[in-house]
Amino acid sequence: VGEMLVSIPPLPEQKKIAEIISGIDKEIAGLRAKIDKFASLHQVALGQKMQELIRNSEMTKISSISEKIMDYRGKSPPKHDSGVPLVTAKNIRKGFIDSNPKEFIREDLYQEWMSKGIPIPGDILITTEAPLGNVAPAPSERFAIGQRVICVSPNRMSAAPEFLLACMQTDFFQKQLTASSTGSTVSGVRQGVLLDCDLPLPCMEVQRKIGSFDAHFRKFISSLEVKTKKLLLLKQSLSADLLSGRKRVSV
């Protein structure tokens, strides 16, 4: 076995490096705890609003308030190292789009691939399996849709997109998907099952208030996610520099 030389700083400097890395770890842990706390509060609050709506509003099917359904399940699109960003089930989190993993489709294949329809801002992306039922608003910038995703374009005259997005995050809606899912190893839903799901439909003013409430929570949680990722990158970079000796710390 060959020998490898490793730079070992003096003991006091080692302790200082450990203190720095440990401090970042504590910040990351604190942010993750805060994310979990507010995500839980978000779900509880949405659930309470949903129960109130169920008692006081008429129920309707997703199909009756949808203007267009773009079903991009099935085969995977041809990937490329650059071009139009691709949004797959891996990118759709609970209420927001994660840019990682980064995948692309070739510019010249975009129109051909997106033949089922091109989403507009406010449309809702929902994962149909692995994971099942994650929803997020369509990005404002141009993108292509990958496998295991359906895009719901609401009829804006009857359903505010932000309200529909809030409803689709609740246990009431998610349980309807789960109850009708298929597959022995990976649960999934068909387009018909999604369209048959029930939701309460109050007046537009109430819809917009609930949508705004949901957006506020999602924006705050998303900002915490961004801070966490930045700290993780900082830790990775600092660890590499400090442990290799490229950067030194004063004791």
Side-chain angles (χ1 to χ4, degrees):
V1 180
E3 294 182 353
M4 183 174 67
L5 295 176
V6 179
S7 175
I8 301 178
L11 186 58
E13 191 172 343
Q14 292 179 41
K15 290 180 178 179
K16 187 66 176 178
I17 291 171
E19 185 181 317
I20 291 170
I21 301 301
S22 176
I24 296 175
D25 281 336
K26 286 179 180 178
E27 284 192 61
I28 292 171
L31 282 170
R32 283 176 169 161
K34 189 177 283 190
I35 289 170
D36 290 343
K37 174 185 176 182
F38 279 94
S40 178
L41 287 172
H42 181 210
Q43 280 302 111
V44 170
L46 278 183
Q48 290 173 344
K49 289 182 180 295
M50 175 61 76
Q51 291 305 315
E52 182 181 341
L53 290 176
I54 291 170
R55 289 192 299 269
N56 301 313
S57 306
E58 291 185 6
M59 301 298 286
T60 187
K61 303 285 186 187
I62 295 285
S63 58
S64 66
I65 54 175
S66 298
E67 196 165 87
K68 189 174 184 180
I69 301 294
M70 292 159 260
D71 192 340
Y72 281 91
R73 295 169 304 153
K75 68 177 184 177
S76 174
K79 311 286 178 57
H80 199 59
D81 56 3
S82 62
V84 180
L86 188 63
V87 174
T88 71
K90 300 174 187 174
N91 302 106
I92 301 172
R93 308 296 185 184
K94 294 182 178 180
F96 69 97
I97 300 289
D98 190 339
S99 59
N100 289 311
K102 287 183 170 65
E103 295 181 307
F104 303 89
I105 187 171
R106 274 173 35 193
E107 184 77 41
D108 59 327
L109 294 177
Y110 175 72
Q111 291 293 339
E112 179 184 346
W113 176 255
M114 297 295 288
S115 60
K116 296 176 183 177
I118 297 176
I120 61 174
D123 285 353
I124 298 163
L125 305 178
I126 179 168
T127 58
T128 59
E129 63 178 74
L132 170 62
N134 279 2
V135 292
S140 55
E141 62 273 10
R142 192 171 64 143
F143 69 99
I145 299 179
Q147 69 277 29
R148 306 199 307 276
V149 177
I150 290 177
C151 178
V152 178
S153 185
N155 181 331
R156 268 79 170 163
M157 296 298 292
S158 58
E162 60 271 25
F163 170 74
L164 187 55
L165 178 67
C167 287
M168 292 170 78
Q169 295 173 74
T170 63
D171 286 343
F172 175 76
F173 176 81
Q174 292 290 323
K175 285 177 180 176
Q176 293 181 73
L177 287 183
T178 305
S180 303
S181 63
T182 59
S184 56
T185 54
V186 178
S187 296
V189 293
R190 302 183 308 276
Q191 180 186 142
V193 169
L194 171 63
L195 293 176
D196 199 46
C197 287
D198 292 306
L199 289 176
L201 193 68
C203 67
M204 191 61 71
E205 182 183 359
V206 172
Q207 289 186 43
R208 291 198 173 113
K209 284 181 179 179
I210 292 174
S212 176
F213 168 84
D214 172 57
H216 176 76
F217 257 105
R218 286 188 295 103
K219 183 177 180 180
F220 180 68
I221 293 171
S222 180
S223 70
L224 296 177
E225 295 272 7
V226 170
K227 288 179 181 178
T228 303
K229 286 179 182 178
K230 286 181 178 179
L231 281 175
L232 285 168
L233 289 173
L234 175 62
K235 176 189 172 182
Q236 184 180 9
S237 174
L238 267 180
S239 296
D241 287 342
L242 294 175
L243 296 175
S244 66
R246 286 195 298 268
K247 285 186 179 179
R248 306 297 296 269
V249 295
S250 58
V251 179

